[in-house]
Short mmCIF file of all heavy atoms in Angstrom, two decimals:
data_model
loop_
_atom_site.label_atom_id
_atom_site.label_comp_id
_atom_site.label_asym_id
_atom_site.label_seq_id
_atom_site.Cartn_x
_atom_site.Cartn_y
_atom_site.Cartn_z
N SER L 2 0.64 2.20 -0.97
CA SER L 2 1.44 3.34 -0.94
C SER L 2 1.17 4.37 0.24
O SER L 2 0.06 4.14 0.86
CB SER L 2 1.18 4.18 -2.24
OG SER L 2 -0.17 4.60 -2.28
N ALA L 94 -11.11 30.26 31.62
CA ALA L 94 -9.63 30.14 31.72
C ALA L 94 -9.05 29.28 30.65
O ALA L 94 -7.99 29.53 30.14
CB ALA L 94 -9.26 29.52 33.05
N ASN L 125 -27.01 18.04 30.43
CA ASN L 125 -25.62 17.68 30.16
C ASN L 125 -25.38 17.84 28.65
O ASN L 125 -24.32 18.30 28.21
CB ASN L 125 -25.40 16.17 30.46
CG ASN L 125 -24.05 15.74 30.27
OD1 ASN L 125 -23.02 16.31 30.77
ND2 ASN L 125 -23.84 14.64 29.51
N LYS L 139 -13.86 30.75 19.24
CA LYS L 139 -12.51 31.33 19.57
C LYS L 139 -11.51 30.97 18.53
O LYS L 139 -10.34 31.45 18.61
CB LYS L 139 -12.09 30.91 20.93
CG LYS L 139 -12.83 31.55 22.11
CD LYS L 139 -12.30 33.02 22.35
CE LYS L 139 -12.91 33.55 23.57
NZ LYS L 139 -12.34 34.95 23.85
N ARG L 243 -4.13 5.82 38.90
CA ARG L 243 -4.31 4.44 39.24
C ARG L 243 -3.24 3.56 38.56
O ARG L 243 -2.07 3.63 38.95
CB ARG L 243 -5.74 3.97 38.95
CG ARG L 243 -6.77 4.69 39.67
CD ARG L 243 -8.18 4.07 39.35
NE ARG L 243 -8.46 3.75 38.00
CZ ARG L 243 -8.94 4.57 37.11
NH1 ARG L 243 -9.18 5.83 37.40
NH2 ARG L 243 -9.12 4.18 35.87
N ASN L 246 -2.23 5.01 31.87
CA ASN L 246 -2.90 5.09 30.57
C ASN L 246 -2.24 4.25 29.55
O ASN L 246 -1.22 3.58 29.88
CB ASN L 246 -2.91 6.60 30.15
CG ASN L 246 -3.71 7.51 30.95
OD1 ASN L 246 -3.88 7.38 32.15
ND2 ASN L 246 -4.38 8.39 30.24
N THR L 284 14.54 9.92 29.31
CA THR L 284 14.65 11.28 29.81
C THR L 284 13.50 11.48 30.76
O THR L 284 13.56 12.28 31.80
CB THR L 284 14.58 12.27 28.65
OG1 THR L 284 15.78 12.05 27.81
CG2 THR L 284 14.57 13.72 29.09
N TYR L 296 12.29 -3.84 32.14
CA TYR L 296 11.46 -4.89 31.37
C TYR L 296 10.40 -4.23 30.45
O TYR L 296 9.55 -4.86 29.97
CB TYR L 296 10.87 -5.82 32.34
CG TYR L 296 11.83 -6.41 33.26
CD1 TYR L 296 11.99 -6.02 34.55
CD2 TYR L 296 12.74 -7.43 32.82
CE1 TYR L 296 13.02 -6.50 35.43
CE2 TYR L 296 13.76 -7.84 33.67
CZ TYR L 296 13.85 -7.40 34.99
OH TYR L 296 14.80 -8.01 35.83
N LYS L 308 19.46 -14.62 27.63
CA LYS L 308 20.25 -15.24 28.73
C LYS L 308 20.63 -16.63 28.40
O LYS L 308 21.79 -17.08 28.71
CB LYS L 308 19.37 -15.12 30.00
CG LYS L 308 20.05 -15.63 31.24
CD LYS L 308 19.25 -15.33 32.48
CE LYS L 308 19.86 -15.68 33.80
NZ LYS L 308 19.02 -15.34 34.96
N ALA L 309 19.71 -17.48 27.87
CA ALA L 309 20.04 -18.88 27.64
C ALA L 309 21.02 -19.01 26.46
O ALA L 309 20.90 -18.38 25.44
CB ALA L 309 18.77 -19.58 27.37
N VAL L 326 11.66 -7.22 16.50
CA VAL L 326 12.05 -6.12 15.63
C VAL L 326 13.47 -5.81 15.92
O VAL L 326 14.00 -6.14 17.02
CB VAL L 326 11.26 -4.81 15.90
CG1 VAL L 326 9.71 -4.98 15.57
CG2 VAL L 326 11.43 -4.37 17.34
N ASN L 347 27.32 -16.90 24.81
CA ASN L 347 26.97 -15.70 25.64
C ASN L 347 28.26 -14.94 25.99
O ASN L 347 28.27 -13.74 25.78
CB ASN L 347 26.29 -16.11 26.92
CG ASN L 347 24.88 -16.64 26.80
OD1 ASN L 347 24.77 -17.73 26.12
ND2 ASN L 347 23.94 -16.09 27.37
N LEU L 349 31.21 -15.03 24.53
CA LEU L 349 31.86 -14.41 23.35
C LEU L 349 31.13 -13.23 22.85
O LEU L 349 31.70 -12.14 22.49
CB LEU L 349 32.08 -15.42 22.31
CG LEU L 349 33.05 -16.60 22.55
CD1 LEU L 349 32.97 -17.66 21.43
CD2 LEU L 349 34.51 -15.97 22.63
N LEU L 369 36.70 -18.17 32.21
CA LEU L 369 35.86 -17.10 32.57
C LEU L 369 34.45 -17.65 32.75
O LEU L 369 33.72 -17.19 33.67
CB LEU L 369 35.86 -15.97 31.40
CG LEU L 369 34.81 -14.88 31.52
CD1 LEU L 369 34.97 -14.07 32.85
CD2 LEU L 369 34.96 -13.91 30.26
N VAL L 414 29.55 3.26 63.30
CA VAL L 414 28.22 3.70 63.44
C VAL L 414 27.96 4.11 64.94
O VAL L 414 28.11 3.31 65.78
CB VAL L 414 27.13 2.68 63.01
CG1 VAL L 414 25.75 3.26 63.13
CG2 VAL L 414 27.43 2.23 61.50
N ASP L 455 31.21 5.35 50.71
CA ASP L 455 31.18 5.88 49.34
C ASP L 455 31.90 7.28 49.38
O ASP L 455 32.72 7.56 48.44
CB ASP L 455 29.80 6.01 48.78
CG ASP L 455 29.66 6.66 47.40
OD1 ASP L 455 30.58 6.31 46.51
OD2 ASP L 455 28.76 7.49 47.19
N LYS L 543 48.06 -14.38 30.39
CA LYS L 543 47.89 -15.34 29.26
C LYS L 543 48.73 -16.59 29.38
O LYS L 543 48.30 -17.70 29.31
CB LYS L 543 48.18 -14.70 27.93
CG LYS L 543 47.80 -15.51 26.75
CD LYS L 543 47.89 -14.72 25.48
CE LYS L 543 47.54 -15.64 24.23
NZ LYS L 543 47.62 -14.84 22.91
#
Side-chain angles (χ1 to χ4, degrees):
S2 66
N125 184 54
K139 287 283 189 177
R243 301 187 312 277
N246 288 39
T284 299
Y296 308 103
K308 185 172 182 177
V326 297
N347 294 60
L349 291 171
L369 174 59
V414 179
D455 178 40
K543 186 171 183 179

